[in-house]
Amino acid sequence: MRYSGIGGQAVMEGVMMKNKDTYAVAVRTMDKKIVVETKEYKGICPNKRIQNLPLVRGVINFIDSLVLGMQSLSFSASFFEEEDEKNLTEEQAKKKKKKDDAAMGGTVALSIVLAVAIFMILPFYLSRLFANLGWSETLIAVAEGILRVLIFMAYVVGISLMKDIQRVYMYHGAEHKCINCIEHGMDLNVENVKKSSRIHKRCGTSFLFFVIIISVILFIFIRVDSAALRLLIRLALIPVIAGISYELIRLAGRSEGKIIGALSKPGMLLQRLTTKEPDDEMIEVAIASVEAVFDWKEYVASINNETTP
C-alpha cells in the first residue's frame, strides 16, 4: 500500500485529518457526541505536476494548510454557538455564515500580516539599533537572527500558558499520537494511541522552526546598502524560505540519518510546548477523524507483513 503520510491540525474541540484530496474534521460537541464532516479538497492548485515541484509545493502546501485550517475551525466553531443563534431562519443562517466566513478570512489575513510584522520586520528594525554601536553588518545580521529566534520562542511559550490554547494543544497531541500509532504498525485504539509519542517529525511546529532558522541563515548573506531594500528582499524571500523548510520537513519524515535527526531535534523539542497529553475523549475524536479518511487497518497489516520474517 502506497503511503505518503496523513497530516492533520487541531481545531476547537476537535481534529482535522487530511489524506490526499480528502479531509475530515471530527468535533466533540457540547453534548459529548462526536460529529465528523468529510469533504474533498484539491487545493489552490489542482495541477499535480505543479503540486509536486520541489520548493513550489512547500508554498502551495502552506497556503492549503491555512485554507483548510480556516474551514475546519469554522466548522468546529459552529457547534459552540450561542443558544439564540441556533434559532435563526435559513436565510438568517446563510447571511450569518457569509459574515462569519468573511470575518474568519479577515482574521487569517490579519494573522499573516502580524506574523510577518512580528517575526520578520520587528527583529530587522531592532537589530539596526546595533549599528549605532559600530557593529559590522555581519554581526548585525547575526543579532537579527538571534532576536528572531528569541521572539518566536517567547511567543510559543506565552500562548502555551493560555487555558484555551492548552486544550488545542491536547488535541494537537492526540493528532500526533494517532499518526505515530499507525506508522509504528499498531492497531488504532485508545490504549495503543496513549502509548504512542506526541512528538512527530512532520509537525507544523517543526516547519515553523525551520522557517525561522532558514531565514536566519539566508539573511546573513544579504549584502545591500539600502536598509529598505534589505527589508524588501527579506519579504520577497518568504516563499523561498517556506519552500526550503517544507523540503527539509519531507526529508526529516523519510530519513533516520544522524544529520537530519540533529536538524529536526530543536523543532521536536519545541513540540513539547505545542502538544500536550490528551485525555481518552480527545483521542477518540482524533481516531474518528483518521478513520474517516484513511484505511489504517490495511496499512498496519502491510507494515506488519513487511516486518514479519
Side-chain angles (χ1 to χ4, degrees), residues 23-54:
Y23 77 96
V25 186
V27 178
R28 176 77 71 178
T29 63
M30 296 177 71
D31 58 3
K32 299 300 181 181
K33 294 179 180 178
I34 298 177
V35 177
V36 181
E37 180 182 67
T38 305
K39 286 188 175 182
E40 187 177 42
Y41 178 73
K42 293 186 178 296
I44 60 167
C45 178
N47 188 301
K48 296 296 182 183
R49 288 187 177 181
I50 298 177
Q51 279 185 9
N52 293 320
L53 286 175

mmCIF file of all heavy atoms in Angstrom, residues 23-54:
data_model
loop_
_atom_site.group_PDB
_atom_site.id
_atom_site.type_symbol
_atom_site.label_atom_id
_atom_site.label_comp_id
_atom_site.label_asym_id
_atom_site.label_seq_id
_atom_site.Cartn_x
_atom_site.Cartn_y
_atom_site.Cartn_z
ATOM 1 N N TYR A 23 -10.319 15.358 3.270
ATOM 2 C CA TYR A 23 -10.057 15.730 4.660
ATOM 3 C C TYR A 23 -11.317 15.545 5.492
ATOM 4 O O TYR A 23 -12.442 15.572 4.976
ATOM 5 C CB TYR A 23 -9.531 17.158 4.772
ATOM 6 C CG TYR A 23 -10.568 18.249 4.638
ATOM 7 C CD1 TYR A 23 -11.155 18.832 5.762
ATOM 8 C CD2 TYR A 23 -10.958 18.709 3.376
ATOM 9 C CE1 TYR A 23 -12.090 19.844 5.637
ATOM 10 C CE2 TYR A 23 -11.904 19.722 3.250
ATOM 11 C CZ TYR A 23 -12.462 20.284 4.378
ATOM 12 O OH TYR A 23 -13.400 21.270 4.264
ATOM 13 N N ALA A 24 -11.127 15.302 6.777
ATOM 14 C CA ALA A 24 -12.251 15.118 7.697
ATOM 15 C C ALA A 24 -11.996 15.919 8.963
ATOM 16 O O ALA A 24 -10.859 15.997 9.446
ATOM 17 C CB ALA A 24 -12.424 13.637 8.041
ATOM 18 N N VAL A 25 -13.051 16.513 9.478
ATOM 19 C CA VAL A 25 -12.985 17.229 10.753
ATOM 20 C C VAL A 25 -13.893 16.508 11.736
ATOM 21 O O VAL A 25 -15.088 16.345 11.473
ATOM 22 C CB VAL A 25 -13.437 18.694 10.612
ATOM 23 C CG1 VAL A 25 -13.199 19.439 11.925
ATOM 24 C CG2 VAL A 25 -12.720 19.380 9.472
ATOM 25 N N ALA A 26 -13.330 16.058 12.847
ATOM 26 C CA ALA A 26 -14.115 15.421 13.908
ATOM 27 C C ALA A 26 -14.146 16.356 15.105
ATOM 28 O O ALA A 26 -13.108 16.872 15.520
ATOM 29 C CB ALA A 26 -13.508 14.077 14.295
ATOM 30 N N VAL A 27 -15.349 16.571 15.636
ATOM 31 C CA VAL A 27 -15.529 17.519 16.736
ATOM 32 C C VAL A 27 -16.313 16.860 17.862
ATOM 33 O O VAL A 27 -17.302 16.164 17.618
ATOM 34 C CB VAL A 27 -16.275 18.786 16.261
ATOM 35 C CG1 VAL A 27 -16.494 19.755 17.415
ATOM 36 C CG2 VAL A 27 -15.509 19.471 15.132
ATOM 37 N N ARG A 28 -15.876 17.094 19.084
ATOM 38 C CA ARG A 28 -16.624 16.668 20.270
ATOM 39 C C ARG A 28 -17.566 17.816 20.649
ATOM 40 O O ARG A 28 -17.126 18.874 21.071
ATOM 41 C CB ARG A 28 -15.671 16.357 21.423
ATOM 42 C CG ARG A 28 -16.342 15.994 22.727
ATOM 43 C CD ARG A 28 -16.872 14.574 22.735
ATOM 44 N NE ARG A 28 -15.782 13.597 22.781
ATOM 45 C CZ ARG A 28 -15.989 12.277 22.837
ATOM 46 N NH1 ARG A 28 -17.232 11.799 22.856
ATOM 47 N NH2 ARG A 28 -14.968 11.451 22.847
ATOM 48 N N THR A 29 -18.866 17.597 20.454
ATOM 49 C CA THR A 29 -19.848 18.653 20.689
ATOM 50 C C THR A 29 -20.141 18.806 22.179
ATOM 51 O O THR A 29 -19.674 18.019 23.010
ATOM 52 C CB THR A 29 -21.154 18.355 19.935
ATOM 53 O OG1 THR A 29 -21.718 17.137 20.445
ATOM 54 C CG2 THR A 29 -20.897 18.210 18.439
ATOM 55 N N MET A 30 -20.956 19.804 22.514
ATOM 56 C CA MET A 30 -21.252 20.095 23.909
ATOM 57 C C MET A 30 -22.046 18.981 24.585
ATOM 58 O O MET A 30 -22.005 18.838 25.804
ATOM 59 C CB MET A 30 -22.015 21.429 24.007
ATOM 60 C CG MET A 30 -21.184 22.620 23.544
ATOM 61 S SD MET A 30 -22.084 24.181 23.577
ATOM 62 C CE MET A 30 -22.197 24.460 25.348
ATOM 63 N N ASP A 31 -22.766 18.177 23.782
ATOM 64 C CA ASP A 31 -23.491 17.047 24.367
ATOM 65 C C ASP A 31 -22.668 15.753 24.325
ATOM 66 O O ASP A 31 -23.210 14.660 24.448
ATOM 67 C CB ASP A 31 -24.843 16.838 23.668
ATOM 68 C CG ASP A 31 -24.689 16.610 22.167
ATOM 69 O OD1 ASP A 31 -23.527 16.564 21.690
ATOM 70 O OD2 ASP A 31 -25.707 16.484 21.480
ATOM 71 N N LYS A 32 -21.339 15.912 24.107
ATOM 72 C CA LYS A 32 -20.357 14.826 24.184
ATOM 73 C C LYS A 32 -20.390 13.859 23.001
ATOM 74 O O LYS A 32 -19.753 12.809 23.031
ATOM 75 C CB LYS A 32 -20.512 14.022 25.496
ATOM 76 C CG LYS A 32 -20.300 14.849 26.761
ATOM 77 C CD LYS A 32 -18.897 15.441 26.790
ATOM 78 C CE LYS A 32 -18.666 16.258 28.051
ATOM 79 N NZ LYS A 32 -17.306 16.858 28.088
ATOM 80 N N LYS A 33 -21.136 14.193 21.954
ATOM 81 C CA LYS A 33 -21.145 13.358 20.765
ATOM 82 C C LYS A 33 -19.980 13.741 19.854
ATOM 83 O O LYS A 33 -19.484 14.864 19.906
ATOM 84 C CB LYS A 33 -22.468 13.512 20.011
ATOM 85 C CG LYS A 33 -23.681 12.986 20.759
ATOM 86 C CD LYS A 33 -24.946 13.201 19.933
ATOM 87 C CE LYS A 33 -26.182 12.681 20.679
ATOM 88 N NZ LYS A 33 -27.428 12.922 19.903
ATOM 89 N N ILE A 34 -19.561 12.796 18.996
ATOM 90 C CA ILE A 34 -18.523 13.088 18.016
ATOM 91 C C ILE A 34 -19.188 13.259 16.656
ATOM 92 O O ILE A 34 -19.871 12.349 16.169
ATOM 93 C CB ILE A 34 -17.471 11.963 17.942
ATOM 94 C CG1 ILE A 34 -16.748 11.804 19.275
ATOM 95 C CG2 ILE A 34 -16.457 12.259 16.824
ATOM 96 C CD1 ILE A 34 -15.754 10.670 19.301
ATOM 97 N N VAL A 35 -19.013 14.428 16.058
ATOM 98 C CA VAL A 35 -19.558 14.714 14.729
ATOM 99 C C VAL A 35 -18.404 14.796 13.746
ATOM 100 O O VAL A 35 -17.398 15.467 14.019
ATOM 101 C CB VAL A 35 -20.353 16.033 14.730
ATOM 102 C CG1 VAL A 35 -20.862 16.354 13.328
ATOM 103 C CG2 VAL A 35 -21.516 15.958 15.712
ATOM 104 N N VAL A 36 -18.534 14.105 12.617
ATOM 105 C CA VAL A 36 -17.468 14.078 11.620
ATOM 106 C C VAL A 36 -17.984 14.608 10.283
ATOM 107 O O VAL A 36 -19.040 14.174 9.808
ATOM 108 C CB VAL A 36 -16.912 12.649 11.422
ATOM 109 C CG1 VAL A 36 -15.770 12.664 10.396
ATOM 110 C CG2 VAL A 36 -16.437 12.067 12.738
ATOM 111 N N GLU A 37 -17.259 15.535 9.707
ATOM 112 C CA GLU A 37 -17.563 16.041 8.367
ATOM 113 C C GLU A 37 -16.399 15.689 7.447
ATOM 114 O O GLU A 37 -15.244 15.998 7.744
ATOM 115 C CB GLU A 37 -17.772 17.554 8.379
ATOM 116 C CG GLU A 37 -18.082 18.118 6.996
ATOM 117 C CD GLU A 37 -18.232 19.623 6.984
ATOM 118 O OE1 GLU A 37 -17.217 20.307 7.230
ATOM 119 O OE2 GLU A 37 -19.348 20.117 6.740
ATOM 120 N N THR A 38 -16.709 15.043 6.321
ATOM 121 C CA THR A 38 -15.692 14.649 5.346
ATOM 122 C C THR A 38 -15.933 15.367 4.035
ATOM 123 O O THR A 38 -17.062 15.387 3.533
ATOM 124 C CB THR A 38 -15.713 13.129 5.108
ATOM 125 O OG1 THR A 38 -15.562 12.458 6.362
ATOM 126 C CG2 THR A 38 -14.586 12.704 4.178
ATOM 127 N N LYS A 39 -14.882 15.972 3.490
ATOM 128 C CA LYS A 39 -15.003 16.709 2.230
ATOM 129 C C LYS A 39 -13.771 16.469 1.356
ATOM 130 O O LYS A 39 -12.727 16.011 1.828
ATOM 131 C CB LYS A 39 -15.148 18.211 2.488
ATOM 132 C CG LYS A 39 -16.510 18.634 3.015
ATOM 133 C CD LYS A 39 -16.614 20.156 3.059
ATOM 134 C CE LYS A 39 -18.008 20.605 3.472
ATOM 135 N NZ LYS A 39 -18.132 22.081 3.482
ATOM 136 N N GLU A 40 -13.940 16.807 0.080
ATOM 137 C CA GLU A 40 -12.821 16.727 -0.858
ATOM 138 C C GLU A 40 -12.227 18.119 -1.031
ATOM 139 O O GLU A 40 -12.948 19.117 -1.103
ATOM 140 C CB GLU A 40 -13.306 16.197 -2.211
ATOM 141 C CG GLU A 40 -12.166 15.916 -3.180
ATOM 142 C CD GLU A 40 -12.651 15.320 -4.497
ATOM 143 O OE1 GLU A 40 -13.688 15.804 -5.011
ATOM 144 O OE2 GLU A 40 -12.006 14.403 -5.010
ATOM 145 N N TYR A 41 -10.899 18.186 -1.060
ATOM 146 C CA TYR A 41 -10.212 19.457 -1.260
ATOM 147 C C TYR A 41 -8.986 19.213 -2.140
ATOM 148 O O TYR A 41 -8.040 18.550 -1.726
ATOM 149 C CB TYR A 41 -9.792 20.057 0.083
ATOM 150 C CG TYR A 41 -9.031 21.372 -0.055
ATOM 151 C CD1 TYR A 41 -9.689 22.541 -0.408
ATOM 152 C CD2 TYR A 41 -7.656 21.424 0.155
ATOM 153 C CE1 TYR A 41 -9.008 23.736 -0.546
ATOM 154 C CE2 TYR A 41 -6.965 22.625 0.023
ATOM 155 C CZ TYR A 41 -7.642 23.772 -0.327
ATOM 156 O OH TYR A 41 -6.965 24.959 -0.473
ATOM 157 N N LYS A 42 -9.023 19.737 -3.362
ATOM 158 C CA LYS A 42 -7.936 19.514 -4.313
ATOM 159 C C LYS A 42 -6.846 20.569 -4.218
ATOM 160 O O LYS A 42 -5.833 20.490 -4.908
ATOM 161 C CB LYS A 42 -8.490 19.446 -5.741
ATOM 162 C CG LYS A 42 -9.375 18.224 -5.990
ATOM 163 C CD LYS A 42 -9.781 18.137 -7.443
ATOM 164 C CE LYS A 42 -10.612 16.888 -7.703
ATOM 165 N NZ LYS A 42 -9.838 15.650 -7.462
ATOM 166 N N GLY A 43 -7.058 21.572 -3.382
ATOM 167 C CA GLY A 43 -6.035 22.578 -3.169
ATOM 168 C C GLY A 43 -6.180 23.780 -4.083
ATOM 169 O O GLY A 43 -6.985 23.795 -5.014
ATOM 170 N N ILE A 44 -5.374 24.804 -3.822
ATOM 171 C CA ILE A 44 -5.434 26.025 -4.616
ATOM 172 C C ILE A 44 -4.874 25.802 -6.020
ATOM 173 O O ILE A 44 -5.139 26.573 -6.928
ATOM 174 C CB ILE A 44 -4.644 27.169 -3.931
ATOM 175 C CG1 ILE A 44 -3.173 26.773 -3.755
ATOM 176 C CG2 ILE A 44 -5.273 27.546 -2.610
ATOM 177 C CD1 ILE A 44 -2.281 27.928 -3.398
ATOM 178 N N CYS A 45 -4.082 24.725 -6.174
ATOM 179 C CA CYS A 45 -3.505 24.398 -7.478
ATOM 180 C C CYS A 45 -3.763 22.916 -7.759
ATOM 181 O O CYS A 45 -2.966 22.061 -7.346
ATOM 182 C CB CYS A 45 -2.004 24.694 -7.479
ATOM 183 S SG CYS A 45 -1.183 24.273 -9.034
ATOM 184 N N PRO A 46 -4.845 22.588 -8.461
ATOM 185 C CA PRO A 46 -5.191 21.181 -8.706
ATOM 186 C C PRO A 46 -4.197 20.436 -9.598
ATOM 187 O O PRO A 46 -4.189 19.205 -9.610
ATOM 188 C CB PRO A 46 -6.563 21.284 -9.408
ATOM 189 C CG PRO A 46 -7.087 22.634 -9.067
ATOM 190 C CD PRO A 46 -5.869 23.505 -8.965
ATOM 191 N N ASN A 47 -3.359 21.168 -10.354
ATOM 192 C CA ASN A 47 -2.391 20.532 -11.250
ATOM 193 C C ASN A 47 -1.353 19.748 -10.438
ATOM 194 O O ASN A 47 -0.565 20.313 -9.688
ATOM 195 C CB ASN A 47 -1.699 21.596 -12.099
ATOM 196 C CG ASN A 47 -0.828 20.993 -13.190
ATOM 197 O OD1 ASN A 47 0.092 20.236 -12.920
ATOM 198 N ND2 ASN A 47 -1.136 21.354 -14.424
ATOM 199 N N LYS A 48 -1.351 18.414 -10.609
ATOM 200 C CA LYS A 48 -0.484 17.548 -9.809
ATOM 201 C C LYS A 48 0.999 17.784 -10.097
ATOM 202 O O LYS A 48 1.842 17.660 -9.206
ATOM 203 C CB LYS A 48 -0.832 16.077 -10.069
ATOM 204 C CG LYS A 48 -2.232 15.679 -9.625
ATOM 205 C CD LYS A 48 -2.399 15.810 -8.126
ATOM 206 C CE LYS A 48 -3.773 15.379 -7.670
ATOM 207 N NZ LYS A 48 -3.969 15.576 -6.213
ATOM 208 N N ARG A 49 1.324 18.105 -11.353
ATOM 209 C CA ARG A 49 2.733 18.343 -11.690
ATOM 210 C C ARG A 49 3.279 19.550 -10.926
ATOM 211 O O ARG A 49 4.393 19.509 -10.397
ATOM 212 C CB ARG A 49 2.877 18.564 -13.197
ATOM 213 C CG ARG A 49 2.688 17.292 -14.027
ATOM 214 C CD ARG A 49 3.017 17.560 -15.486
ATOM 215 N NE ARG A 49 2.910 16.341 -16.280
ATOM 216 C CZ ARG A 49 3.162 16.280 -17.581
ATOM 217 N NH1 ARG A 49 3.537 17.383 -18.239
ATOM 218 N NH2 ARG A 49 3.042 15.139 -18.222
ATOM 219 N N ILE A 50 2.485 20.616 -10.905
ATOM 220 C CA ILE A 50 2.921 21.815 -10.178
ATOM 221 C C ILE A 50 2.943 21.536 -8.677
ATOM 222 O O ILE A 50 3.847 21.977 -7.965
ATOM 223 C CB ILE A 50 1.990 23.003 -10.499
ATOM 224 C CG1 ILE A 50 2.061 23.344 -11.989
ATOM 225 C CG2 ILE A 50 2.363 24.221 -9.646
ATOM 226 C CD1 ILE A 50 1.133 24.454 -12.411
ATOM 227 N N GLN A 51 1.942 20.793 -8.195
ATOM 228 C CA GLN A 51 1.873 20.450 -6.767
ATOM 229 C C GLN A 51 3.117 19.725 -6.292
ATOM 230 O O GLN A 51 3.501 19.846 -5.130
ATOM 231 C CB GLN A 51 0.652 19.552 -6.498
ATOM 232 C CG GLN A 51 -0.659 20.291 -6.363
ATOM 233 C CD GLN A 51 -1.784 19.359 -5.974
ATOM 234 O OE1 GLN A 51 -1.566 18.191 -5.649
ATOM 235 N NE2 GLN A 51 -3.001 19.868 -5.994
ATOM 236 N N ASN A 52 3.756 18.960 -7.186
ATOM 237 C CA ASN A 52 4.892 18.125 -6.797
ATOM 238 C C ASN A 52 6.247 18.741 -7.124
ATOM 239 O O ASN A 52 7.279 18.094 -6.932
ATOM 240 C CB ASN A 52 4.786 16.748 -7.461
ATOM 241 C CG ASN A 52 3.612 15.947 -6.928
ATOM 242 O OD1 ASN A 52 3.335 15.976 -5.733
ATOM 243 N ND2 ASN A 52 2.910 15.243 -7.806
ATOM 244 N N LEU A 53 6.242 19.983 -7.627
ATOM 245 C CA LEU A 53 7.521 20.637 -7.920
ATOM 246 C C LEU A 53 8.242 20.981 -6.621
ATOM 247 O O LEU A 53 7.663 21.605 -5.729
ATOM 248 C CB LEU A 53 7.292 21.919 -8.720
ATOM 249 C CG LEU A 53 6.914 21.772 -10.198
ATOM 250 C CD1 LEU A 53 6.604 23.141 -10.797
ATOM 251 C CD2 LEU A 53 8.054 21.102 -10.978
ATOM 252 N N PRO A 54 9.505 20.574 -6.468
ATOM 253 C CA PRO A 54 10.267 20.936 -5.265
ATOM 254 C C PRO A 54 10.264 22.445 -5.054
ATOM 255 O O PRO A 54 10.278 23.215 -6.016
ATOM 256 C CB PRO A 54 11.677 20.414 -5.581
ATOM 257 C CG PRO A 54 11.452 19.292 -6.543
ATOM 258 C CD PRO A 54 10.284 19.722 -7.391
#
